[in-house]
């Protein structure tokens, strides 16, 4: 793994899986290829991650370039679940930088490769992204997921509160308009909520 990337230990490790946070670079060959494969696999399997079939490698490369720019700007964090050289899944934490929203962040693009599902990868990624948000003094997490998706029950079991749903929110590869379900979760933060606190937390997070 690249210099400056810190391995995060699971509270209850899933055998063979290591969680790594990449706060700046995702261009290492194994990681880049793994992320490309992961995104293509998820889109091909019908996951609602912002793309529809047909989906090309060029589209995947462009997407990860955009993610890299967000990482460079400090607007986003990327957590990757990997086993040896294989990327099994990932999730992103997008920080709100509005003056009235420094306490919140959005969980985005939770993806697990079809060959790695059913092993607890998604749950472990969610546990670690919450820990990261707590370290960054983000006390409110929001996310959305396709209605009826298996992730809907997982989020509820992890303590996320169903805030409502929006009908016809996203176009599927089959041409149907799918509803999305909105979730939120409040996290316990010990530090006082001041702008300085958030700035310090962001800087510490970027230097992990």
């Amino acid at each position: 793994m690249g210099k400056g990337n810190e391995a995060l230990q699971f509270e209850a490790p899933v055998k063979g899986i290591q969680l790594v946070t990449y706060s700046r670079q995702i261009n290492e060959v194994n990681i880049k290829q793994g992320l490309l494969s992961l995104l293509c696999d998820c889109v091909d399997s019908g996951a609602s991650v912002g793309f529809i079939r047909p989906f090309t490698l060029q589209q995947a490369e462009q997407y990860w370039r955009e993610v890299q720019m967000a990482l460079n700007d400090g607007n986003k964090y990327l957590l990757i679940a990997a086993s040896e050289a294989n990327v099994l899944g990932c999730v992103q934490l997008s920080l709100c930088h509005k003056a009235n929203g420094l306490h919140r962040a959005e969980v985005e693009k939770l993806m697990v490769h079809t060959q790695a599902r059913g092993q607890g990868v998604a749950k472990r990624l969610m546990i670690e992204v919450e820990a990261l948000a707590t370290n960054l003094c983000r006390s409110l997490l929001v996310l959305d997921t396709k209605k009826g998706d298996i992730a809907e029950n997982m989020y509820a079991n992890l303590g996320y509160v169903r805030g409502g749903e929006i009908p016809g929110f996203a176009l599927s590869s089959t041409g149907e308009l799918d509803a999305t379900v909105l979730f939120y979760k409040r996290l316990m933060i010990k530090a006082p909520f001041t702008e300085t606190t958030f700035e310090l937390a962001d800087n510490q997070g970027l230097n992990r």
Side-chain angles (χ1 to χ4, degrees):
M1 299 299 175
K3 182 179 180 180
N5 297 324
E6 180 182 355
L8 304 178
Q9 298 300 318
F10 291 132
E11 182 178 346
V14 177
K15 186 177 180 180
I17 300 174
Q18 180 185 33
L19 191 66
V20 179
T21 177
Y22 282 78
S23 62
R24 290 191 181 279
Q25 293 295 327
I26 59 176
N27 289 325
E28 296 179 23
V29 175
N30 288 343
I31 294 299
K32 181 178 180 180
Q33 293 303 318
L35 290 173
L36 289 171
S37 175
L38 173 64
L39 180 56
C40 291
D41 174 76
C42 288
V43 175
D44 288 343
S45 65
S48 182
V49 290
F51 302 97
I52 59 176
R53 300 186 297 268
F55 185 67
T56 66
L57 181 60
Q58 289 72 27
Q59 286 176 286
E61 291 174 336
Q62 177 59 32
Y63 171 73
W64 288 116
R65 280 195 292 268
E66 293 171 358
V67 170
Q68 179 66 75
M69 288 189 289
L71 296 176
N72 292 344
D73 292 338
N75 296 323
K76 191 184 292 287
Y77 287 80
L78 175 65
L79 295 177
I80 301 172
S83 177
E84 298 179 350
N86 299 315
V87 172
L88 306 180
C90 69
V91 67
Q92 298 171 37
L93 184 70
S94 183
L95 307 182
C96 179
H97 291 291
K98 296 179 181 178
N100 67 349
L102 295 176
H103 64 291
R104 69 176 185 261
E106 183 172 1
V107 179
E108 300 176 334
K109 297 291 191 295
L110 175 63
M111 296 185 283
V112 177
H113 198 284
T114 52
Q115 295 182 4
R117 294 176 187 174
Q119 301 180 38
V121 176
K123 182 178 179 180
R124 292 301 167 186
L125 282 166
M126 290 301 298
I127 290 172
E128 295 298 339
V129 83
E130 288 181 17
L132 175 59
T134 299
N135 289 339
L136 295 171
C137 293
R138 303 288 165 151
S139 62
L140 177 65
L141 292 182
V142 297
L143 60 84
D144 67 85
T145 190
K146 176 184 173 182
K147 183 179 180 180
D149 192 89
I150 190 172
E152 191 175 347
N153 289 331
M154 181 192 69
Y155 294 137
N157 291 335
L158 289 173
Y160 285 80
V161 180
R162 194 177 191 276
E165 66 179 68
I166 303 173
F169 183 78
L171 180 68
S172 71
S173 293
T174 61
E176 299 176 342
L177 290 173
D178 295 325
T180 193
V181 181
L182 308 176
F183 285 94
Y184 70 89
K185 184 175 184 177
R186 297 188 183 278
L187 305 177
M188 295 297 295
I189 305 294
K190 296 180 180 179
F193 295 122
T194 66
E195 188 167 346
T196 301
T197 298
F198 292 120
E199 289 176 353
L200 288 173
D202 283 352
N203 290 333
Q204 292 170 355
L206 284 171
N207 292 323
R208 293 182 61 148

